[in-house]
Amino acid sequence: MEYISCFSGIGGLEGSLAPKAVCEIDEECRELLSLRFPEAKQFNDIRTMDGIEAEVIVGGWPCQDLSVAGKQAGLQGENSGLFYSFIDAANEIKAQTLIAENVTNLLRMDKGAVFFEVLIELKKRGFGYCSWRVINAREFGLPHHRNRVFLIASRDIQ
Protein backbone atom coordinates (compact mmCIF):
# COMPACT_ATOMS: atom_id res chain seq x y z
CA MET A 1 0.00 0.00 0.00
CA GLU A 2 1.30 3.43 -0.92
CA TYR A 3 0.29 6.44 1.13
CA ILE A 4 1.06 10.10 1.59
CA SER A 5 1.38 11.80 4.97
CA CYS A 6 0.21 15.42 5.23
CA PHE A 7 0.63 17.92 8.05
CA SER A 8 3.25 15.40 9.17
CA GLY A 9 5.01 17.33 11.92
CA ILE A 10 7.76 14.98 13.10
CA GLY A 11 5.64 11.97 12.20
CA GLY A 12 3.06 10.08 14.15
CA LEU A 13 0.38 8.65 11.91
CA GLU A 14 2.94 6.88 9.75
CA GLY A 15 3.46 3.73 11.80
CA SER A 16 6.05 1.26 10.56
CA LEU A 17 5.37 1.62 6.83
CA ALA A 18 7.26 4.52 5.22
CA PRO A 19 5.13 6.99 3.25
CA LYS A 20 5.64 7.61 -0.46
CA ALA A 21 5.64 11.34 0.32
CA VAL A 22 5.34 13.71 3.26
CA CYS A 23 3.95 17.23 3.34
CA GLU A 24 4.99 19.56 6.15
CA ILE A 25 5.40 23.34 6.19
CA ASP A 26 7.92 23.50 9.05
CA GLU A 27 11.49 23.27 7.73
CA GLU A 28 12.96 21.70 10.89
CA CYS A 29 10.26 19.03 10.89
CA ARG A 30 10.99 18.31 7.21
CA GLU A 31 14.66 17.82 8.08
CA LEU A 32 13.73 15.20 10.68
CA LEU A 33 11.25 13.56 8.29
CA SER A 34 13.98 13.29 5.64
CA LEU A 35 16.08 11.35 8.16
CA ARG A 36 13.18 9.08 9.16
CA PHE A 37 11.92 8.56 5.60
CA PRO A 38 14.83 9.24 3.22
CA GLU A 39 13.01 7.76 0.20
CA ALA A 40 9.85 9.85 0.68
CA LYS A 41 9.28 12.77 -1.64
CA GLN A 42 8.92 16.02 0.32
CA PHE A 43 6.41 18.82 -0.12
CA ASN A 44 6.12 21.96 2.01
CA ASP A 45 2.58 23.06 1.09
CA ILE A 46 -0.48 20.84 0.68
CA ARG A 47 -1.85 23.26 -1.90
CA THR A 48 1.07 22.62 -4.26
CA MET A 49 1.43 18.84 -4.09
CA ASP A 50 1.38 17.50 -7.62
CA GLY A 51 2.73 14.73 -9.77
CA ILE A 52 2.19 11.97 -7.23
CA GLU A 53 -0.45 9.31 -6.65
CA ALA A 54 -1.19 7.00 -3.73
CA GLU A 55 -4.00 4.79 -2.45
CA VAL A 56 -4.21 6.48 0.97
CA ILE A 57 -3.69 9.95 2.38
CA VAL A 58 -3.26 10.52 6.13
CA GLY A 59 -3.01 13.69 8.17
CA GLY A 60 -4.09 15.79 11.09
CA TRP A 61 -4.96 19.14 9.53
CA PRO A 62 -4.20 22.24 11.65
CA CYS A 63 -6.39 22.69 14.72
CA GLN A 64 -5.63 26.30 15.69
CA ASP A 65 -9.08 27.44 14.60
CA LEU A 66 -10.86 24.41 16.12
CA SER A 67 -9.21 23.98 19.52
CA VAL A 68 -10.91 25.26 22.69
CA ALA A 69 -7.69 27.18 23.31
CA GLY A 70 -7.66 28.50 19.75
CA LYS A 71 -9.35 31.13 17.63
CA GLN A 72 -12.72 29.31 17.29
CA ALA A 73 -12.95 30.32 13.61
CA GLY A 74 -13.85 26.79 12.55
CA LEU A 75 -13.18 25.64 9.00
CA GLN A 76 -13.31 29.26 7.85
CA GLY A 77 -10.08 29.93 9.76
CA GLU A 78 -6.83 30.35 7.86
CA ASN A 79 -5.19 27.28 9.42
CA SER A 80 -8.04 24.83 9.98
CA GLY A 81 -9.49 25.77 6.60
CA LEU A 82 -6.66 23.71 5.13
CA PHE A 83 -9.07 20.80 5.65
CA TYR A 84 -10.46 21.67 2.20
CA SER A 85 -6.97 21.56 0.70
CA PHE A 86 -6.48 18.17 2.35
CA ILE A 87 -9.52 16.81 0.49
CA ASP A 88 -8.36 18.50 -2.72
CA ALA A 89 -4.99 16.76 -2.33
CA ALA A 90 -6.74 13.43 -1.72
CA ASN A 91 -8.56 13.83 -5.03
CA GLU A 92 -5.43 14.96 -6.88
CA ILE A 93 -3.42 11.94 -5.73
CA LYS A 94 -6.39 9.67 -6.53
CA ALA A 95 -6.56 8.35 -2.97
CA GLN A 96 -9.19 5.72 -2.27
CA THR A 97 -8.98 6.22 1.50
CA LEU A 98 -8.45 9.25 3.73
CA ILE A 99 -7.41 8.96 7.38
CA ALA A 100 -7.64 12.17 9.39
CA GLU A 101 -7.14 13.28 12.98
CA ASN A 102 -8.07 16.41 14.90
CA VAL A 103 -9.12 17.81 18.28
CA THR A 104 -12.39 16.64 19.82
CA ASN A 105 -13.76 20.20 19.93
CA LEU A 106 -14.34 19.66 16.21
CA LEU A 107 -17.33 17.53 17.23
CA ARG A 108 -18.82 20.26 19.46
CA MET A 109 -18.18 23.50 17.58
CA ASP A 110 -21.37 25.33 16.64
CA LYS A 111 -23.43 22.51 18.18
CA GLY A 112 -21.91 19.96 15.79
CA ALA A 113 -22.31 22.03 12.62
CA VAL A 114 -18.56 22.19 11.93
CA PHE A 115 -18.18 18.42 12.13
CA PHE A 116 -21.29 18.00 9.99
CA GLU A 117 -19.59 20.26 7.40
CA VAL A 118 -16.56 17.90 7.46
CA LEU A 119 -18.80 14.90 6.78
CA ILE A 120 -20.79 16.68 4.05
CA GLU A 121 -17.62 17.89 2.35
CA LEU A 122 -16.08 14.40 2.38
CA LYS A 123 -19.20 12.96 0.80
CA LYS A 124 -19.45 15.77 -1.79
CA ARG A 125 -15.86 15.12 -2.84
CA GLY A 126 -16.28 11.39 -3.36
CA PHE A 127 -15.58 9.88 0.06
CA GLY A 128 -19.07 8.50 0.60
CA TYR A 129 -18.21 6.08 3.40
CA CYS A 130 -16.97 7.58 6.65
CA SER A 131 -16.51 6.38 10.20
CA TRP A 132 -15.08 8.21 13.22
CA ARG A 133 -14.11 7.56 16.81
CA VAL A 134 -12.63 9.48 19.70
CA ILE A 135 -9.44 7.79 20.84
CA ASN A 136 -7.35 8.64 23.92
CA ALA A 137 -3.56 8.42 23.56
CA ARG A 138 -3.49 6.84 27.01
CA GLU A 139 -5.00 3.70 25.45
CA PHE A 140 -1.68 3.27 23.62
CA GLY A 141 0.55 3.46 26.68
CA LEU A 142 1.26 7.18 26.69
CA PRO A 143 1.33 8.74 30.17
CA HIS A 144 -1.27 11.47 29.58
CA HIS A 145 -4.83 11.95 28.38
CA ARG A 146 -5.01 13.27 24.84
CA ASN A 147 -8.35 12.67 23.17
CA ARG A 148 -8.52 13.02 19.41
CA VAL A 149 -11.18 12.34 16.84
CA PHE A 150 -10.07 10.01 14.04
CA LEU A 151 -11.93 9.72 10.74
CA ILE A 152 -11.55 7.09 8.06
CA ALA A 153 -13.28 7.91 4.80
CA SER A 154 -13.34 5.77 1.70
CA ARG A 155 -14.61 5.98 -1.84
CA ASP A 156 -15.57 2.29 -1.73
CA ILE A 157 -17.11 0.11 0.93
CA GLN A 158 -14.52 -2.66 0.42
Side-chain angles (χ1 to χ4, degrees):
M1 174 201 62
E2 292 185 323
Y3 76 100
I4 294 174
S5 172
C6 299
F7 312 108
S8 304
I10 60 169
L13 291 177
E14 291 76 14
S16 60
L17 180 64
K20 183 175 184 178
V22 295
C23 182
E24 172 55 48
I25 195 167
D26 185 275
E27 186 176 337
E28 290 177 355
C29 290
R30 281 196 317 275
E31 287 177 25
L32 178 61
L33 290 167
S34 70
L35 294 173
R36 286 189 67 199
F37 308 116
E39 304 297 318
K41 186 170 182 176
Q42 289 210 5
F43 296 94
N44 66 356
D45 189 335
I46 195 159
R47 296 166 291 199
T48 59
M49 282 184 8
D50 56 3
I52 192 161
E53 292 183 10
E55 298 170 62
V56 177
I57 187 167
V58 303
W61 78 93
C63 68
Q64 291 94 329
D65 304 303
L66 303 171
S67 172
V68 292
K71 301 173 186 174
Q72 301 292 302
L75 296 175
Q76 280 57 57
E78 181 180 347
N79 296 309
S80 297
L82 288 171
F83 164 74
Y84 299 104
S85 298
F86 185 46
I87 302 174
D88 289 342
N91 284 326
E92 288 171 26
I93 68 167
K94 299 183 174 135
Q96 292 300 307
T97 303
L98 177 145
I99 301 171
E101 168 274 328
N102 217 296
V103 295
T104 57
N105 196 48
L106 171 65
L107 300 170
R108 296 183 295 272
M109 285 193 79
D110 294 335
K111 299 180 182 173
V114 175
F115 186 63
F116 187 68
E117 171 68 16
V118 166
L119 298 176
I120 293 296
E121 205 58 38
L122 286 167
K123 186 167 185 149
K124 271 183 13 187
R125 308 248 196 134
F127 293 92
Y129 304 95
C130 186
S131 183
W132 65 91
R133 297 288 180 272
V134 173
I135 300 174
N136 189 332
R138 181 162 240 162
E139 296 173 37
F140 297 91
L142 296 175
H144 62 282
H145 290 286
R146 187 175 174 101
N147 288 318
R148 291 291 183 264
V149 61
F150 284 83
L151 298 101
I152 299 177
S154 178
R155 296 185 188 283
D156 302 314
I157 198 159
Q158 300 176 10

